Amino acid sequence: KLVSRAAGSTATVGDHKSYTPTISGDGNWVAFVSEAQNLVSGVSFPSGSTQQVYLYSVQADTIQLVTYKTGSTTTASNTYDTTTPTVEPSLSTDGRYLAFTTEADDLVPGQDTTNEFFLPFLGQRADAFLYDRVANTMSMITHVPSSPVTGGSDFASNVTVAGDGTKVAFVSNSYNLIANSTEAVESTTWDVFLYDIATGSVTLATH
C-alpha cells in the first residue's frame, strides 16, 4: 500500500520525496517526513517550505499534516532550512504521541527561538516537539525552564518516545534546558535529556 500518495488517489505518488517512516507498536499509525505538497488537500505551503511531518492512519487509510502553523491546520509550518533537517519521528506504542525535531518557529502559540545561536552556514537550530494525537496539541520539548514556548540555545536531535507514552529522550548541546546548568555557552558537548510528558519538565540524564 502506498502511504505517501497524492490526496484523492491510492496510486499516485507525492510530488516530492518522503522519508524516515516509523510505525507505532500497535501497527495502526505511520509517521513520516515529506517534502511533497500534494499529500493533503487544501493545505497551503509558505514559499520555500521544505520538510513537513505527516501521520497516516492504517485503519482509516488517511493522512494528516502534523506540522501545521499554530492556529491554522491548513497552513504548513515554515520549515525552510534543509541544512538542519527534520529528523526521524518517533511514536509511542499506541500512536498517541509523536516526537520530532524541526527548525520551524511557528508550531506553538508564542513560540520564541530568538535566544538560539544562528550561524549563516547552519541556519536556525532545530528544536524538539511533541504532538498529542488525541488532544490535538503541540508542545515544545526543548524549552528553557522559565518558559514552555522558548527554545533552547542549540540543536536537538535523536528524539525517542517511550512506548508507554510517559517520557521522551533526546540529545542536545543546548546549555539552558535545565536550571543551574554548568554547560558552557555555545558548548560542543552533546548531552542526553529526558522530557516528562505529564509535567512538561526536562531533566539531564547524563550527569
Side-chain angles (χ1 to χ4, degrees), residues 1 6 11 32 35 38 43 45 67 94 103 108 123 133 135 147-148 153 163-164 170 176 183 186 191:
K1 177 183 291 188
F32 63 97
E35 296 176 33
N38 64 340
V43 174
F45 293 79
T67 48
D94 61 1
E103 77 284 356
V108 295
R133 175 180 55 81
S147 170
S153 62
D164 62 5
F170 64 95
N176 57 351
E183 192 71 77
E186 295 192 70
D191 286 298

Side-chain angles (χ1 to χ4, degrees), residues 49-71:
S49 174
T50 55
Q51 305 108 336
Q52 304 293 338
V53 178
Y54 294 85
L55 189 61
Y56 172 75
S57 169
V58 175
Q59 293 181 336
D61 194 27
T62 55
I63 299 173
Q64 69 179 86
L65 174 66
V66 172
T67 48
Y68 57 83
K69 180 179 181 180
T70 181

